[in-house]
Amino acid sequence: MALWGGRFSNKPTDAVFALSQSISFDWRLAPYDLRSSLAHLAVLENASLISKVDALKIKKALKDLMSEVSSGKFLPNSQDEDVHSALERGLIEKLGVLGGSLRAGRSRNDQVTTDLRLFAIEHMLMLAQMLTELVEVILNKASEYVNDAAPGFTHIQHAQPISFGHEIAKHAHAFTRDIDRINDWFHRTSVNSLGAGALSGSSLKLDPGFAAKNLGFERSFENSIDAVSDRDYVAEALFVTSLIGVHLSRIGEEWTLLGSTEFSWANIADEFSTGSSIMPQKKNPDMAELARGKTGRLIGNLMSVLAMLKGLPFAYNRDLQEDKEPLFDSLDTLALVIPAISGMIATTNFDRAKMKLSAPTGFSLATEIADYLVQKNIPFAQAHEAAGACVALCEKLSCELHELTDQHFAGIHSSLDPAIRNVLSVEGAIASRTTAGGTAPSQVLVQISDAMKKTLVQRKEIASKSKAFSEMMGA
């Protein structure tokens, strides 16, 4: 059923209708469209544009339609152009001409962006909830390895010894920021668009502020043209989902490397691995690789919407139909990836002995020599040179730093006395990094505890918003 056509002599061709229709993907907005219709009905009734008797009939029909959509009893057909036309058809089937009353003072332009905001808010809150669960999984795994040494890396080269719990925990902080970004996004997105009409508002005595309160939005639009053309909230949501994808991809990359034969640090559980159809010995980290690979489509969805928005003039343009599928796809993708990655992390075991054995290799204790000299008031530039000279000598002699003799150290710098050996240990190097946020186990435990507390606060805030949204949708 089309919501337009009075001035047209001919119907659209099949090709035009096929290109124009959006019901194949925007039917997902049906629950939100029905809820926004209830809010619009209340506005029309308050303005005496619909009688109380008729409003009661329409409200009952909308509630019935909600139930039928939820159960699958009412579905779109091949003649419906979009979710709005399908649902109006449903109302007219129940009420006759009265079913078309809700079109007063409302355009698909303000209707669709209201629906999409509601959809985005609910699903971004669901995403935030999944992230809090992922953060807890990461922190729990990190707490298992706080006292286990491993080499830290820069440029995928051994850098300095670290607590492996510190290494794992770093991912939690990235996702915590993503949750903060969703909360920030929520406040910018919680804006009602109903009442903006096609672009210029309405000559009818509507109350967008009332509609905003009815739908749980924090406020109503400030400019009706902006209200129907704004898709910042979609682009920003896609940026957030892209960044979450990037953070998941980093985990995927690390788990793939650490599980390789060359590292052999990570033993990924069978339940989160796959095999080869030809090589029976293979155990592949496919979940890690898929997390890495899916990030490409998340970034692509963001680029798609930004490119669509960049040249749009004035108010609404049909290009904006292209805002939904990228958003739907990104949210669906993360809903698949996050539980799999959470399970993979929770069930991975790391080889403590192998990591500890690897910790001092690659001359990772060289910085300890420089810091030792600095504590003897040697300028760091000179201390750095002396430490580098120790590494060069080790390469020449094919030995590690702790294997140099007292004479070797003294020959490089007079202040490198025998006490230098007290700092040339992995345990000592890690324990000494007690600055806030550092890798000393005492500090890592504080970081994990603080992150757990913040995640609990975030979870409560998300739960509160989700509860309020569910109550609004059920009103």
Side-chain angles (χ1 to χ4, degrees):
M1 174 182 174
L3 300 182
W4 52 272
R7 59 95 61 206
F8 289 83
S9 302
N10 299 309
K11 293 181 178 181
T13 67
D14 290 345
V16 168
F17 184 79
L19 177 60
S20 181
Q21 71 82 28
S22 58
I23 194 67
S24 59
F25 54 85
D26 70 12
W27 182 244
R28 293 180 69 167
L29 298 178
Y32 312 95
D33 193 80
L34 289 166
R35 182 61 186 86
S36 67
S37 290
L38 281 172
H40 187 59
L41 172 64
V43 169
L44 294 175
E45 182 182 3
N46 288 347
S48 299
L49 296 167
I50 292 180
S51 71
K52 293 188 181 298
V53 173
D54 286 345
L56 195 60
K57 293 177 183 177
I58 297 171
K59 183 175 183 178
K60 182 180 184 304
L62 284 170
K63 290 280 190 177
D64 289 344
L65 203 51
M66 281 180 171
S67 178
E68 292 170 10
V69 167
S70 178
S71 67
K73 182 179 178 181
F74 182 84
L75 294 169
N77 64 35
S78 60
Q79 301 304 308
D80 293 323
E81 184 180 13
D82 56 26
V83 62
H84 317 296
S85 58
L87 294 176
E88 182 169 294
R89 173 177 59 80
L91 283 178
I92 290 173
E93 288 173 358
K94 293 178 179 297
L95 300 170
V97 294
L98 183 61
S101 301
L102 288 180
R103 214 185 298 175
R106 183 173 72 172
S107 163
R108 283 186 295 181
N109 296 1
D110 61 343
Q111 189 176 357
V112 70
T113 189
T114 301
D115 298 347
L116 192 56
R117 284 178 187 272
L118 292 173
F119 172 91
I121 286 172
E122 181 172 40
H123 286 77
M124 290 291 279
L125 288 175
M126 291 167 60
L127 174 58
Q129 177 65 31
M130 284 191 288
L131 289 177
T132 63
E133 295 167 4
L134 174 59
V135 167
E136 288 186 355
V137 167
I138 293 170
L139 293 174
N140 285 332
K141 181 58 65 173
S143 67
E144 294 179 31
Y145 294 92
V146 170
N147 293 308
D148 292 294
F153 294 87
T154 63
H155 309 281
I156 319 184
Q157 303 290 321
H158 284 206
Q160 292 175 310
I162 59 167
S163 154
F164 193 62
H166 194 208
E167 184 78 75
I168 296 173
K170 73 176 188 288
H171 295 294
H173 298 283
F175 291 119
T176 296
R177 292 192 297 274
D178 290 329
I179 297 168
D180 284 341
R181 271 182 276 271
I182 291 174
N183 282 323
D184 292 342
W185 169 91
F186 176 88
H187 294 299
R188 282 186 290 277
T189 301
S190 189
V191 180
N192 171 53
S193 302
L194 277 182
L199 78 160
S200 60
S202 177
S203 61
L204 304 177
K205 303 303 180 184
L206 306 181
D207 187 351
F210 177 83
K213 188 174 182 179
N214 190 302
L215 291 171
F217 289 119
E218 293 182 351
R219 58 198 178 282
S220 192
F221 62 88
E222 297 175 318
N223 180 296
S224 60
I225 299 175
D226 176 63
V228 298
S229 57
D230 169 34
R231 293 299 185 276
D232 292 6
Y233 63 95
V234 175
E236 188 175 358
L238 290 173
F239 168 74
V240 174
T241 57
S242 297
L243 197 52
I244 292 168
V246 168
H247 291 149
L248 288 166
S249 182
R250 293 184 64 190
I251 291 176
E253 175 72 6
E254 289 183 6
W255 254 245
T256 301
L257 283 172
L258 298 181
S260 66
T261 302
E262 284 68 28
F263 269 89
S264 296
W265 289 9
N267 180 17
I268 300 174
D270 288 356
E271 306 94 293
F272 294 92
S273 306
T274 64
S276 166
S277 60
I278 190 171
M279 295 171 284
Q281 85 282 6
K282 293 299 294 297
K283 181 180 177 182
N284 299 324
D286 281 16
M287 298 308 100
E289 293 171 356
L290 285 169
R292 192 175 58 190
K294 294 286 187 184
T295 300
R297 71 190 294 160
L298 298 174
I299 295 170
N301 287 336
L302 171 61
M303 294 301 104
S304 173
V305 167
L306 289 176
M308 179 266 289
L309 291 174
K310 77 173 185 65
L312 294 187
F314 309 119
Y316 183 86
N317 293 273
R318 194 59 180 275
D319 311 51
L320 292 173
Q321 181 170 302
E322 296 299 308
D323 59 358
K324 298 167 197 64
E325 289 178 286
L327 181 63
F328 295 165
D329 181 70
S330 289
L331 290 167
D332 290 346
T333 296
L334 289 176
L336 283 173
V337 172
I338 291 174
I341 293 302
S342 291
M344 181 190 74
I345 293 170
T347 57
T348 297
N349 291 314
F350 294 92
D351 191 324
R352 290 177 164 89
K354 188 164 288 188
M355 292 189 300
K356 182 177 181 179
L357 189 65
S358 184
T361 63
F363 312 113
S364 65
L365 294 168
T367 306
E368 308 312 306
I369 297 174
D371 287 350
Y372 179 80
L373 290 173
V374 167
Q375 291 178 33
K376 288 177 169 287
N377 296 318
I378 305 300
F380 186 78
Q382 293 181 26
H384 187 283
E385 287 292 322
C390 290
V391 171
L393 181 57
C394 285
E395 288 181 322
K396 182 178 179 181
L397 299 176
S398 297
C399 67
E400 291 293 331
L401 288 168
H402 66 277
E403 295 175 320
L404 292 177
T405 66
D406 292 347
Q407 290 74 24
H408 288 144
F409 282 121
I412 290 172
H413 197 287
S414 59
S415 294
L416 289 177
D417 52 41
I420 184 63
R421 300 191 182 283
N422 295 331
V423 301
L424 286 180
S425 71
V426 169
E427 293 78 10
I430 294 174
S432 69
R433 289 332 195 250
T434 56
T435 50
T439 199
S442 59
Q443 278 299 316
V444 176
L445 288 171
V446 170
Q447 296 160 33
I448 291 174
S449 176
D450 289 347
M452 282 287 196
K453 291 174 184 176
K454 179 168 184 178
T455 301
L456 181 61
V457 171
Q458 289 178 322
R459 176 168 288 186
K460 288 180 178 179
E461 183 178 0
I462 294 161
S464 176
K465 289 176 180 176
S466 296
K467 181 181 178 183
F469 188 92
S470 295
E471 290 173 351
M472 179 279 296
M473 286 295 290

